[in-house]
Amino acid sequence: MPRTTAEKRAAFRAMHETGCFTLPNPWDAGSARYLASLGFQAIATTSSGYAWSTGRADNQVSRDDILAHLRAMVEATDLPVNADFESGFGDDPAAVAESVKLAVATGVAGLSIEDATGDAAAPLLPVETAVARLAAARRAIDESGGDTVLVGRAENFFVGVPDLNDTLARLQAYAAAGADCLYAPGIRTREEIAAVVAAVAPKPVNVLIGGNPALTLQELAALGVRRVSVGGALARAAWGSFMRAAQALSEGRFDGFAGAASGPDLNALFAGAA
């Protein structure tokens, strides 16, 4: 029998209590189902991967489209889904709270809120503003049952402000405001990761691995990392293969299809899914 939303959320929350797990990021129902077939215990959406699949850039997708995508991803598998909910789709705390309640209603088991502005001249929200928005997300989750994991994100290293001290201060403030898990995408070194883990302990930390890593999963676990996500990396890998094959085709060559998945294998994977 399929698990209920409450069961998936309870399982996802329990995954954050001990150990270290990989949280892969599919971009559509098919990629989600394939990841489920490999035995992953949870998945996370990727705002960039989904945006690219619709012919748009990251952070250019409407709230309604994201909510529809979240519902589709929740329905695609029996796994808990963590939502990349960007900046919460609201300029003020009340608007963020409204958006978060709508996201929770899709059945996601977790969701993240960023502190980036999208403005290159001032790429980060003032910490007081970011805290107020995260606290509003916390209240919205609590008013919706309280079992959805809230992830607080400090975007410093992603937006060109690689200030570790400010990153740590922001993550500590987000933890105090009610974030269940903390995330600073873009940190890479042992020292940076260890500092983040120590700053918010005992709350769990997510680390992003988007390219060739200097650290293994076992080494990340030894540093105290609780979960490891890959953002748009799987989508970029798929796009890379497609672009190489398409470029070859545009040049009159057909060798770009080497290594492609077989039709029978894909049909077998998705048989009975519709």
Side-chain angles (χ1 to χ4, degrees):
M1 292 291 292
R3 289 189 290 183
T4 66
T5 297
E7 288 171 338
K8 287 188 282 188
R9 288 174 175 165
F12 191 53
R13 187 169 289 276
M15 292 172 67
H16 291 73
E17 294 175 359
T18 60
C20 180
F21 65 94
T22 304
L23 186 63
N25 300 73
W27 61 93
D28 62 9
S31 55
R33 289 175 179 143
Y34 180 67
L35 291 170
S37 77
L38 296 179
F40 288 103
Q41 297 302 298
I43 55 176
T45 65
T46 160
S47 63
S48 60
Y50 172 63
W52 300 330
S53 76
T54 67
R56 288 173 281 188
D58 195 11
N59 301 121
Q60 292 186 358
V61 181
S62 70
R63 184 180 75 175
D64 285 347
D65 283 352
I66 289 294
L67 291 171
H69 175 59
L70 295 181
R71 285 190 289 271
M73 296 299 275
V74 168
E75 293 168 1
T77 77
D78 203 30
L79 299 180
V81 175
N82 189 96
D84 178 348
F85 206 51
E86 302 181 30
S87 62
F89 297 93
D91 293 330
D92 57 67
V96 170
E98 175 189 348
S99 294
V100 167
K101 286 186 177 181
L102 293 172
V104 171
T106 67
V108 295
L111 62 87
S112 61
I113 300 292
E114 304 171 3
D115 59 4
T117 65
D119 179 0
L124 292 170
L125 291 167
V127 68
E128 298 82 3
T129 302
V131 165
R133 297 168 78 260
L134 195 77
R138 175 78 269 162
R139 289 192 296 272
I141 288 174
D142 291 343
E143 291 169 2
S144 302
D147 55 353
T148 304
V149 172
L150 176 61
V151 183
R153 291 179 50 147
E155 301 293 298
N156 299 63
F157 283 73
F158 244 26
V159 299
V161 188
D163 183 332
L164 183 59
N165 288 333
D166 185 61
T167 300
L168 299 179
R170 285 173 176 269
L171 292 177
Q172 289 173 330
Y174 302 160
D180 299 301
C181 179
L182 289 310
Y183 183 13
I187 60 172
R188 297 179 183 276
T189 69
R190 290 176 182 272
E191 293 74 20
E192 290 165 348
I193 294 168
V196 167
V197 170
V200 301
K203 291 197 173 184
V205 167
N206 184 103
V207 166
L208 173 71
I209 300 294
N212 293 326
L215 298 170
T216 67
L217 183 64
Q218 291 74 22
E219 289 170 329
L220 289 166
L223 288 171
V225 173
R226 187 69 73 229
R227 68 185 215 184
V228 180
S229 59
V230 298
L234 285 171
R236 288 189 289 106
W239 272 102
S241 295
F242 170 78
M243 293 166 76
R244 287 189 293 273
Q247 180 66 35
L249 192 62
S250 75
E251 297 168 354
R253 296 184 289 107
F254 305 101
D255 56 331
F257 304 133
S262 78
D265 286 348
L266 291 171
N267 285 333
L269 173 67
F270 298 130

